[in-house]
Amino acid sequence: MHLTNEQEKILDGEKGEVMERLFRLLFRLGEIYRADSMIPVGSVQVAGVSYKSIGNPGMEFLEDMASKGAIVKVLTYLNPAGMDLENWKKLGFPEDFAKNQLRIMDAFKKMGIVITSTCTPYLAGNLPRFREHIAWSESSAVSFSNSVIGARTNREGGPSALAAAICGVTPNYGLHLWENRQPSVKIKVEVDLKYNSDFGALGWYVGKQVKNKIPYFTGIKDANTDQLKALGAAMAASGAVALYHVKGLTPEADNVKKEGLETISVGKSEIKGTYAKLNTGNTPDIVIFGCPHASLREISTLADKLEGKHLKKPVWICTSRMIKEAAERMGYNEIIAKAGGSIVADTCMVVSPIEKMGYKTTGVNSGKAANYLPGFCKQEVCFANIDDLVEGQL
Ligand code: F3S
């Protein structure tokens, strides 16, 4: 791999222990994947933020980095934390968990990382441009930025993203290269999709079929950004899809090569079958929306549906702090709170310890959440559309 003189000096330890350690990690990664060089990144998103996921070893590693003066070079955001960083007490998060989560956030802050914990950084002030090289971690954010925005990122692990943030570069391989962004399978959609959960079901089904291939979709007549984020998130969860193209909708779809691809058709029965498969529970104790984190449009839709209603059981809407504040100004939070629901910022149903908060069955409209809740949070799942889920909690 070609390194600049400056980069050679980092490897020789001339820029200090932290830089050497982190740059070496990127260098090794680059060698494994035969990268020709390091490329500058425009922004970073770091995963491995929740105390539930990283525990004491992760917390101590981050505190060590922060105490040795590690500072990020580019705009860096965080994935969801394990709790709402402001309202954790009111929402019933355990005290000892909160103490450790706050230590983790403190270490990130010392490194100059924006304390915005979200899997939708592109809705909260970290929006890359078309073809910009970035180093993001969270699988749905990676999928959205690659596919819907046309930025370029591999799916980074927590440490490699942190290293990219502190060194300002990433090895040039994988999805940073145009030749690796070509589709390898065609998905012919032969069913009309209405709800965001329909897109989640489609994504979950396709992810299972294609694993880590790059799908090229035809037959999706229209989809807004919320629906595309639901589609990508589910495909990344049930498979390992980090990039997809949709004819007529995503920016690279016209230019990629799509001749001679193997074709998979998806119709009504596949979508119906996926709903059935993802439903492992009967009646939810709690319904949680916002996987990936809810947009202002999704919160506004929920506020409309909950206005003047009285929920018998809890409803959470997970989102970023920025979107929560915008929703507050619009009066959505008040409407939702009056109905008995909560807007929960900084965290989500999968990375927060909901199983320790007494919940056993969770209702979701997200294919990704339905995929992870049984394993990560010991939950039975009710996977349904927004109308059925809201109706069921009244
Ligand atoms: Fe985001 Fe959590 Fe879903 S990180 S994509 S809300 S599982």
Side-chain angles (χ1 to χ4, degrees), residues 52-237:
K52 177 175 166 177
S53 333
I54 64 172
N56 286 337
M59 180 172 71
E60 281 154 17
F61 167 78
L62 293 168
E63 286 180 334
D64 182 48
M65 287 284 118
S67 72
K68 287 180 174 145
I71 294 281
V72 297
K73 282 207 173 66
V74 295
L75 179 69
T76 303
Y77 271 40
L78 294 173
N79 213 31
M83 62 184 198
D84 186 310
L85 297 168
E86 288 175 16
N87 269 348
W88 57 270
K89 239 185 213 154
K90 201 168 141 206
L91 290 161
F93 284 88
E95 190 109 26
D96 51 340
F97 182 90
K99 222 173 87 200
N100 289 326
Q101 186 63 66
L102 292 172
R103 271 176 67 180
I104 291 171
M105 303 317 284
D106 211 40
F108 280 128
K109 197 172 167 190
K110 280 199 184 108
M111 290 188 255
I113 296 176
V114 182
I115 302 304
T116 287
S117 291
T118 181
C119 49
T120 57
Y122 46 87
L123 296 178
N126 184 355
L127 178 67
R129 65 160 169 78
F130 183 57
R131 290 190 187 149
E132 185 171 28
H133 295 284
I134 57 176
W136 286 17
S137 300
E138 197 280 322
S139 66
S140 79
V142 165
S143 165
F144 191 93
S145 56
N146 269 325
S147 315
V148 183
I149 299 169
R152 297 186 176 186
T153 180
N154 291 314
R155 185 179 171 185
E156 301 294 341
S160 67
L162 190 63
I166 287 168
C167 301
V169 294
T170 195
N172 189 25
Y173 73 95
L175 294 176
H176 290 288
L177 304 170
W178 174 242
E179 63 265 30
N180 297 332
R181 300 176 66 85
Q182 307 304 313
S184 41
V185 56
K186 183 169 160 184
I187 310 294
K188 206 166 151 199
V189 180
E190 294 169 330
V191 53
D192 286 336
L193 306 165
K194 177 181 167 193
Y195 288 104
N196 293 6
S197 53
D198 297 342
F199 283 84
L202 171 66
W204 192 89
Y205 177 80
V206 171
K208 277 273 171 226
Q209 309 299 311
V210 309
K211 312 274 189 305
N212 64 353
K213 289 184 181 165
I214 298 175
Y216 175 83
F217 285 89
T218 63
I220 297 181
K221 293 181 199 113
D222 200 6
N224 62 30
T225 44
D226 295 329
Q227 292 165 335
L228 292 173
K229 84 175 157 66
L231 173 70
M235 267 191 293

